[in-house]
Amino acid sequence: MSIEEIKTENINAIVEVGLHESCMRDRDGYYSGVRPNHWMPGRDYCFMGQLDFINTDLLKPGDTCRANGRFIIASQDVPEFKPGYCWHICEANKIMGYGRVVEITGT
């Protein structure tokens, strides 16, 4: 299947976001509204999404928070994207943290 043939769906969710302290060394962290690469385990592609932090504007290295996530994911991955599902948050191919679905809030 070519990339042009992949169907996608919009998913809104409350997610837990954490940044690895060692990977984010010498950086302030991520500001709310960030759009990092979201790499799915076992896939050779990422999905798109924006993270709007709840109750903070800045997520510092080593910290976690909850966020409203708005994602565009491959339709074939929707069944996996449910509470408890985890993935890597990356810059290019460097892992900077993780995301975990807490609650699906809409499609």
Side-chain angles (χ1 to χ4, degrees):
M1 177 182 316
S2 71
I3 193 73
E4 293 84 19
E5 297 175 29
I6 295 177
K7 302 222 182 291
T8 61
E9 294 188 33
N10 296 327
I11 302 286
N12 297 324
I14 302 294
V15 298
E16 177 184 276
V17 181
L19 295 179
H20 299 306
E21 193 168 10
S22 60
C23 296
M24 296 291 292
R25 185 181 353 250
D26 300 325
R27 297 185 53 189
D28 292 339
Y30 281 164
Y31 287 92
S32 187
V34 67
R35 295 177 179 173
N37 292 327
H38 302 272
W39 283 99
M40 301 187 78
R43 300 285 195 232
D44 60 356
Y45 55 83
C46 61
F47 61 95
M48 298 185 329
Q50 178 170 320
L51 301 170
D52 297 306
F53 303 141
I54 299 171
N55 298 324
T56 189
D57 289 328
L58 175 66
L59 179 59
K60 296 180 180 180
D63 288 350
T64 62
C65 74
R66 288 201 172 183
N68 290 306
R70 293 180 293 148
F71 305 103
I72 300 172
I73 65 173
S75 297
Q76 67 191 23
D77 297 324
V78 169
E80 293 181 48
F81 204 81
K82 58 187 176 188
Y85 182 77
C86 295
W87 67 92
H88 296 298
I89 292 175
C90 301
E91 291 179 1
N93 63 352
K94 184 176 180 186
I95 297 172
M96 306 307 277
Y98 72 91
R100 182 179 62 83
V101 176
V102 174
E103 173 186 355
I104 301 297
T105 58
T107 55

